[in-house]
Amino acid sequence: MTEPLAISFTETDLEAVAEASGVVVVFAESGRNLGLAGRRVNRLTHGALKRAVESEAFAKLDHGSALRLEWPAGMAAELVLLVSLPRRCEVSVARKAGATIARALGAKGGLVLAESHARAAEVSFGLALRAYRFNYHSAETPAYGPVRFMANNPEKLAQEAQPLAALAEGVFFTRDLVNEPANILTTSDFAARLAAMQELGLDVEILEEADLETLGMRALLAVGQGSESPSKVVVMKWNGGAEEPPLALIGKGVVFDTGGISLKPGAGMEEMTMDMGGAGTVAGVMRTLALRKARANVVGIVGLVENMPDGRAQRPGDIVTSAKGVTIEVINTDAEGRLVLADVLWYAQEHFAPRAMIDLATLTGAVIVGLGHDNAGVFSNDDAFAGDLLKAARQEGEGAWPLPLQPSYDRLIKSRLADIKNSAGRPAGAITAATFLKHFVAPEVPWCHIDIAGVALPPTETELAPKGPTGWGVMTLNRLIADKFEG
Ligand code: BES
Ligand code: MN
Ligand code: ZN
């Protein structure tokens, strides 16, 4: 996987500032005096830094943004980055400051004069996330040079940064999976990458097509039956808690979604390599939990399939029987994600008797119509549980917004021939998808469905990710687990 940027933490050494190459970063607050390291940079630059700190331009900057002093006289650096960062600042501001540093970074790396800033670990985290670069398939993607944080207590800072580095690694794992094209990330390759996480202490089990057949997962298998790649369900267990039922995380892992016989239009179809984003997020969370040895029991279960048109592919009008026994009329083979999740949700509930379940899926275009790329859509059968999830998302700065799941929508997915149908057309498209999933969750099990179609791969860069996959949800779910599931 893509390794996060090399960040080291060392003792403050003012003598090294003049010779540092690349970017030298100074934190300052408008209206306040510079710290020791800032004063050193100011002396080296013959007063330029102080003038910048006292400027109106600096006073007007948003916290976390920066002024650039390029090719400073008196220093070996190419750039002094003057970051507006109050001593007492929110986590989000510190992460934004880190992202600002990443955007200024080049091949020569940099030196961050963190001194005793209380949020320096969060700065390093924002820096790592924004400095993600996926270069498996092109050597032309240049790498960033290493970054050194000089701090008054580097051991303490390194300790604070450790769980955040585990989180960054989880996010990177998700982003890599979403970036990989479908000829490389086949269902088998995906399963192998998950199995490799056994080295981290996760217990990984792969259910093959014959097993899924035995379990009666005809809804999931029907989606994959037109593909040369075998359908699989992968179960990842992290048992870091006491004897208690686990939290179950379920992910849609459609490695490519052509739409099947209900074929999608050609323009933009290449984006459907990201249709395994839900499974990618579940995998990233499991990786983080293992890396930081979380004190919680969590099981991650992903359904890996490819939705292809073929002589053996399922047809519109087919009726399949899910593992639960609910029969489904397949109106549209492009509404495949819910067929996969139906069987995986049921399996999670029946085999693990979870305390709670959360599924993540790039499930509908309709959620993008409703919420754009700023928020994932959150549906739940339990307001308190949804509240916890939304709070975690807010704390981590990942957009999430509640959408309704009332019984009145049930009628929209009634089928003439089977128990339910998999598509109700355009009205309330994200809600009817969630309503479909509701049939496979017992009402007494707290459950959230998160439609991440708009946030997994937004069209532009975001604060903490370059253009490409965000890894949406790894931070939120890690926070939720830390706050609500760890004793
Ligand atoms: N994978 C798509 C949803 C999607 C769309 C994800 C855009 C990311 C970006 C899903 O399988 C799908 O095709 N949904 C259909 C459902 C419809 C046929 C009821 C949709 O949203 O159009
Ligand atoms: Mn589809
Ligand atoms: Zn899909």
Side-chain angles (χ1 to χ4, degrees), residues 227-363:
S227 170
E228 294 292 323
S229 295
S231 300
K232 292 171 196 278
V233 169
V234 181
V235 181
M236 296 162 270
K237 280 185 265 186
W238 176 253
N239 288 318
E243 287 296 314
E244 62 197 15
L247 166 69
L249 304 178
I250 288 106
K252 168 180 172 181
V254 176
V255 295
F256 196 77
D257 182 13
T258 64
I261 298 299
S262 311
L263 194 63
K264 286 181 182 294
M269 202 202 274
E270 71 282 356
E271 278 206 359
M272 284 301 122
T273 58
M274 56 75 93
D275 210 19
M276 34 51 66
T281 295
V282 170
V285 175
M286 298 310 293
R287 190 175 191 97
T288 293
L289 296 178
L291 286 171
R292 70 172 182 81
K293 306 217 181 320
R295 297 161 69 87
N297 295 339
V298 181
V299 57
I301 315 179
V302 295
L304 307 181
V305 301
E306 186 180 36
N307 189 20
M308 296 289 268
D310 180 76
R312 278 171 315 197
Q314 69 172 334
R315 295 149 288 252
D318 283 4
I319 294 175
V320 296
T321 303
S322 66
K324 183 182 176 187
V326 171
T327 59
I328 303 162
E329 182 184 7
V330 180
I331 298 292
N332 189 323
T333 65
D334 197 12
E336 85 297 339
R338 64 200 74 182
L339 298 174
V340 173
L341 291 173
D343 280 343
V344 180
L345 279 166
W346 181 250
Y347 178 80
Q349 186 183 291
E350 295 305 295
H351 282 73
F352 295 99
R355 257 167 87 181
M357 300 205 287
I358 301 173
D359 76 78
L360 296 105
T362 50
L363 202 62

Side-chain angles (χ1 to χ4, degrees), residues 182-224:
N183 63 326
I184 291 169
L185 192 78
T186 60
T187 55
S188 300
D189 183 80
F190 200 155
R193 291 185 195 208
L194 300 182
M197 289 207 290
Q198 284 179 123
E199 280 171 30
L200 304 176
L202 285 165
D203 179 16
V204 182
E205 184 191 1
I206 301 176
L207 304 177
E208 303 290 351
E209 278 185 352
D211 306 312
L212 305 179
E213 206 74 68
T214 308
L215 290 161
M217 295 199 192
R218 287 302 320 159
L220 181 149
L221 286 165
V223 175

Side-chain angles (χ1 to χ4, degrees), residues 317-331 409-423 435-436 439-440:
D318 283 4
I319 294 175
V320 296
T321 303
S322 66
K324 183 182 176 187
V326 171
T327 59
I328 303 162
E329 182 184 7
V330 180
I331 298 292
Y409 292 99
D410 291 351
R411 72 183 192 289
L412 296 176
I413 58 165
K414 288 219 165 92
S415 161
R416 182 173 66 86
L417 301 167
D419 296 331
I420 51 176
K421 60 183 178 183
N422 80 330
S423 170
T435 302
F436 181 96
H439 276 84
F440 302 91

